[in-house]
Amino acid sequence: QRIAFRFHHQKEANAKNENGDKCSSVGRCNDDENNNNNDDLNVVLEEKMIPCTTSHIDNMVQRISKSGFINFYGEQRVGNAGPKSVVGVRSFEIGRAMLQKDFKLAIDLLMTGRLKSYRNISGNSGGNDEEGGKKKEEQKDGDSDEEYIESREIRHVRKVWKESGGDPTATLKAMPSPGRGGGVGAGGAMMARERAVLKGLKRYGKDNALMAIRCLQHGVRMFWINAYQSYVWNLAVTERIRRLGTEVAIGDLYVQNRKDDVFCGDNDGEGGGGSRKKDVCIVSKENISDVDISQVVLPLPGYDVQYPSNEIGKFYEDILLRDNVSFCKDTVAEATAKGTYRDIVAFAKDLEWEKVKDGGENSKHGEEEMQQSDIVDTFKIRFELGSGSYATMMLRELMTTTLARYH
């Protein structure tokens, strides 16, 4: 699917999708995997951009086209990064508790939920000093609703859970009606997972947390475990690049007999990389000259994968030991995973960009009327990505030196 993004210079940094929903950063907008429309998916990102030259953007686009980008999982999978006092519970933390077989903790983390919005991680939403002072005054009397992802109603439910010592009956009574309102700040409809688990606790008892979690659909339960696997993968690929660079290294894992396959790391053990594990081999002195970095993969941890035989394999071992996580085949499904593989480098196909005139009138890059100035303060970019790769991660790499950031 083709994806189109637009960046421009402006006073306030905002981001909106086609429906007009606000996004707080590039990381909030991504391609919809369930959208089967072959047309471009247009997402307008109104980001605070540093005006730059056409040659600068050309160089960035050429770099990404030639060398690709690190195939990180996005925050959509692992949860927003930031101080725990601001972002609250991240998805992978629930998965980690499940893999530790601490299902009571997993439920408590689910009920704790998210806290303040992503915008507040920097401590500055981009407003002027007068607006910042006004926010500080609001905080003296209690935090402003604008600072939270969740509504007052939902925050009240979480407070009841905490103050009641995890009483499912009291917490269910505090919940808004299921059909009330809409959107992230809505009532009970947005707490479907919490409601299902609380009803499970009432039915099976507080000491049977696993059965309460099983009241959720299988895909929901597995999402949290996949989030932890993705979190470990992100840590591992970061260390792989930091320690061993961007060239193939002895002890790496790579895929042989590859045609157009993309090892996306999705579908734990089913499809994607999991179906071709027999083709995953270890780089040795004898074959290193025949292996390209585009063939190198790293495992999402599980009981049915092999790990690199170099120092990155030890890194996996240390992370899992630190987190007290082990993957065993003979245990409950909610506390293990088969594992699979994911390319460490992803590539954007048909990556192209064009300047956009002020006022939104498009004019193709290279036309005479757009060459009056070499400075670019508004442009649109289009590209295609393989299944499982995150547009937000590609854009982050592409726009590193182009977007004005407050953190």
Side-chain angles (χ1 to χ4, degrees), residues 21-81:
D21 299 324
K22 279 191 175 183
C23 305
S24 61
S25 71
V26 172
R28 294 292 185 165
C29 294
N30 192 18
D31 47 317
D32 182 355
E33 294 179 359
N34 296 318
N35 189 334
N36 295 318
N37 193 330
N38 290 325
D39 296 334
D40 283 4
L41 172 64
N42 292 298
V43 181
V44 177
L45 293 179
E46 298 179 350
E47 283 285 349
K48 202 158 192 178
M49 172 182 163
I50 302 172
C52 54
T53 63
T54 57
S55 61
H56 176 73
I57 298 178
D58 276 333
N59 288 337
M60 291 192 302
V61 168
Q62 291 171 13
R63 174 172 56 85
I64 295 293
S65 297
K66 179 181 178 181
S67 303
F69 61 98
I70 301 176
N71 200 17
F72 286 115
Y73 283 99
E75 292 179 344
Q76 303 94 315
R77 174 69 75 97
V78 299
N80 291 337

Side-chain angles (χ1 to χ4, degrees), residues 310-328:
N310 52 31
E311 58 190 286
I312 304 304
K314 180 63 164 56
F315 178 80
Y316 273 97
E317 182 182 335
D318 292 341
I319 289 294
L320 297 179
L321 183 63
R322 181 201 70 184
D323 287 349
N324 192 29
V325 168
S326 61
F327 293 89
C328 304

Side-chain angles (χ1 to χ4, degrees), residues 372-385:
Q372 297 176 0
S373 172
D374 189 43
I375 301 300
V376 180
D377 59 10
T378 304
F379 74 95
K380 180 184 289 185
I381 186 168
R382 296 184 180 90
F383 55 91
E384 292 183 16
L385 288 180

